[in-house]
Amino acid sequence: MSDNGASKPGPTPGDRTVIGITFGNSNSSIAYTVDDKAEVIANEDGDRQIPTILSYVDGDEYYGQQAKNFLVRNPKNTVAYFRDFLGKEFKLIDPTHNHASAHPQETDDTVSFTIKDKEGEEAETSTLTVSEVATRYLRRLVGAASEYLGKKVTSAVITIPTNFNDKQKAALIAAAAAADLEVMQLISEPVAAVLAYDARPEAQIEDKIVVVADLGGTRSDVAVVASRGGMYTILATVHDYEFAGFALDKVLIDHFAKEFIKKHPGAGDPRENPRSLAKLRLEAESTKKALSLGSNASFSVESLINGLDFASTINRLRYETIARTVFEGFNRLVESAIKKAGLDVLDVDEVILSGGTAHTPRIAGNFRYIFPQSTRILAPSTEPTAINPSELQARGAALQASLIQEYEAEDIEQSTHAAVTTVPHITNAIGVISLSESGEEVFVPIVPPETAVPARRTVHVAAPKDGGDVLVKVVEGNTHIKVTKPEPKVKENGDSKAAKVEDADEDEADGDASDFSDDEDEEEEEKREKVWKIGSTLAEAAIRGVKKGGKVEVTINVNADLSVIVTTREVGGKGGVRGTLSA
Ligand code: ATP
Ligand code: MG
C-alpha cells in the first residue's frame, strides 16, 4: 500500500486550486468552477469522458482513450476496470471485466496487477497494488487539469458510489494523497448529480423527490433522494452489476458476430479469439453511441479474423428490439428503488438520468412511460434543457469543491453545505385539515414526508369569508395510491378488453420495440392517483374572532429530536397560541 503522503499536512485553504473528479470503473472526468458555473475539462486528447485505463508500452505510460485503444494490441500491460477493487479484499472482488486486460491477483490482502511498465525487451515486470494503479491514474487526471488551468491542482472533491464502505473510502483518500492530491470531501455520486441540476441559475430549490438513475458501463446505481429545503436525504438505493452499458455492448457484439459467421462460414467465431473480440468490443461501443444520436449506425472492423474485414449497419429500431431485455432491466431497477423507499412513481417529481448509458433515447423513453406526466424525466432525449448525463457528477463535485475550498480540512465534515446525506427525517407529512367545498375534511400538507429535521414551515389559513373563529387542526398525513378500475367496456365487435390485451402481447412477441405505446387504450387503463390520508392529530388551536378577510399563520417547527412545536396567530394580530408536543 502506498499511503505515503497521507499524513502530510494539506494545503492551507488560501493556497488551494480545486477541481471536482468523478472516478468511475469505465470513465473519469475532471471539472472546475468559474463564476459559479461548473465546466468539464477536456484532457490533452480532447476527451471529457476519460477512460479509467492505464497502459504501458516500452516503458511509456498511456492513459484514457489512448490506453483503451491498446486493449487490442497490448492487453496484458493494460489495467482497466479497477476502481471498485480499491480497499477490497481479493476474494471479494468480481473480476468479470478484467479477462481482456491485466488480471487482478492477490498481494497482501489487497488486489494487484503484474505488468511490464519499464523499457526494454528484458525488463522485469512490476506488481502494482490497485492503490498504486489508482495513484498513477489520478496523477494523470490532476496533470491534465493542472495543465488546463495553468496552475497546480492541489485539492479535489471526488464522487463515490453510495455503497462504498469506510475501507474503500480510506483507500481512495490514501491513493489520492500519494498522487499529491488532497481530498477535501468524498460526496456520493447521486447527490453530485442532483447538485449539478440544482446549481443552475434557473433552478428553483423546491421540496421534491428525485430518482437518480446512474447507468454506467459495469454497474447501474439508482438512488431515491428527498430534497427538502436544500438538504438531501437518500431514502433508498439499488445497485446492479448486470444491467449496464456492457450488457448493451454484448448485445451488439453477438448480433454482428452472428452476421459475420453467416457471411463467412468456416472463418470461425470472432468472439473466440481475444484480439478479434477486443476489436468487436471497441466497435460495438462506438456503434452503440452513434445509435444514441442517429437512427442508423455503421459497424466496421478491419481484419476481424484471418485478415477478413467486416462492415455492416444497424438501425435504431433493430437495436432497440435486440436490446429489449436489457432495457427492461433498467426499468425494473428504477421501480425497485422506488418500492424500497416505500414510495410510488406518483411521488416522484424528477428522474435524473446520469452516466454514459443514460444517453440512450429508448431508456429515457421507457421511463417516460413508467412515470406520470407530472414527473420530469431529465435526459437529453426527453428534456431539451437536460445536462449531459456524462458530465453531471463531475460538475456536482466541482461545485461542491468551490463551495468548501475556503474551509480548513477539519471543518469540512461539519460544513452545512448540501452534501450531507443521511440525516434524520420525518416519515409522515405534517399538515392542517381544511374543509373542502363539499364540506369534507381534507389534508393540506405543510411539511412533506421525508423532510430532514430540524425543519420549519409556515402557512396562512384563510378565515371564513365574514371573519370569525378559525379552528386549526395540525395532523400527520400519509399518502396512499387510489386505484380506480375502468368499467369493463365491450367493443363494437363484441371483443372484451381482455381479448384486446392478448392481441397486444402477440405484437410484442414479434419484437417490435416501438410498441411501448402509451396512447393506445389510454382511457381503459386503471386510474392511479395519490391521495392523502389523515393520520393522528398533533395539535388543535382555535383563534377567535378573526377579522373579515383575515388570515391565521400556522408555523410548524420539527426539532432534531422529532418533537414538534406548532404556533398559530392571526396575521397582523398580537399574541398567539403555542403548543409543544413530542413525537
Ligand atoms: P461504471 O463505473 O459503471 O463502469 P462509469 O461511471 O465509469 O461506469 P460512465 O461514463 O458513466 O462510466 O458510463 C460508461 C458507459 O456509458 C459505457 O458503457 C459507454 O459505452 C456508455 N456510453 C457512453 N456514451 C454513450 C452514449 N452516447 N450512448 C450510449 N451509451 C454511452
Ligand atoms: Mg458511474
Side-chain angles (χ1 to χ4, degrees), residues 342-361:
L343 298 175
D344 185 273
V345 288
L346 294 174
D347 295 311
V348 177
D349 301 293
E350 277 176 8
V351 180
I352 294 179
L353 277 94
S354 173
T357 301
H359 286 275
T360 314

Side-chain angles (χ1 to χ4, degrees), residues 3-25:
D3 55 0
N4 47 321
S7 54
K8 260 197 295 181
T12 46
D15 296 335
R16 282 186 181 126
T17 298
V18 305
I19 57 170
I21 296 179
T22 179
F23 178 36
N25 287 302

